[in-house]
Amino acid sequence: MAMSSRTEISERRACRLVGLSRTVLHYEPKMNEPNLQLGERIGELAAVRRRFGYRRIHALLRREGSRANHKRVYRLYRLAGLAVGELLAFVINKYSPLPAYVPIWAIAVGVGISAAVGIVFGLWPAWKAARLDPIEALRWE
């Protein structure tokens, strides 16, 4: 546990501070037999069709008669190490000539436009409605 290794605090006290049960801390998930079989089948399909992502592999599994939902297929697909989205993003970020930051002026413009929209479409109508008599306001609605 990172917190108890950096400080002189016990595991029990660290878990209490964070609000985490010690059983949750030591929990090791176990793969059941259907998940193992499905994971192997996902690996086989991904080896044959390398360009297919988890969505198309899910469609192939559905055609074969598997009743696994897309979230389960996605979890097992990632667990098998087939998803390369983060690796691809890292490579593009490292070797791309385009900057990977947002300039401060763009942030300022975004905040300004958001504030203007909030004032025009939120505060101003609420201010107008607060000045009205409730009976008159309901009569004209």
Side-chain angles (χ1 to χ4, degrees):
M1 184 173 195
M3 185 178 214
S4 59
S5 66
R6 290 185 193 154
T7 62
E8 296 295 324
I9 193 169
S10 69
E11 177 183 296
R12 184 174 293 160
R13 185 169 286 173
C15 285
R16 194 177 317 131
L17 283 172
V18 177
L20 182 71
S21 172
R22 289 177 62 211
T23 56
V24 172
L25 179 68
H26 295 289
Y27 176 74
E28 293 285 332
K30 300 170 203 71
M31 288 284 280
N32 57 8
E33 189 61 32
N35 279 348
L36 285 173
Q37 292 172 351
L38 185 62
E40 289 173 3
R41 185 65 187 139
I42 288 171
E44 292 169 5
L45 288 173
V48 173
R49 296 175 172 86
R50 293 190 181 276
R51 292 178 48 191
F52 281 17
Y54 83 95
R55 291 179 191 263
R56 290 181 72 182
I57 287 180
H58 176 252
L60 291 174
L61 289 169
R62 293 295 289 230
R63 287 185 200 144
E64 292 177 357
S66 174
R67 296 187 57 183
N69 65 13
H70 68 281
K71 296 172 284 197
R72 185 172 168 199
V73 171
Y74 176 70
R75 181 175 53 82
L76 294 172
Y77 186 83
R78 301 252 330 179
L79 193 63
L82 300 170
V84 294
E86 288 84 18
L87 178 64
L88 183 63
F90 173 74
V91 170
I92 288 173
N93 189 22
K94 185 156 179 77
Y95 298 110
S96 174
L98 300 175
Y101 65 92
V102 179
I104 194 72
W105 64 266
I107 295 171
V109 168
V111 168
I113 290 173
S114 298
V117 166
I119 289 170
V120 170
F121 293 108
L123 292 178
W124 186 59
W127 178 70
K128 276 182 61 175
R131 292 186 317 161
L132 293 175
D133 180 35
I135 304 300
E136 287 295 319
L138 291 174
R139 185 175 297 158
W140 292 103
E141 208 172 74

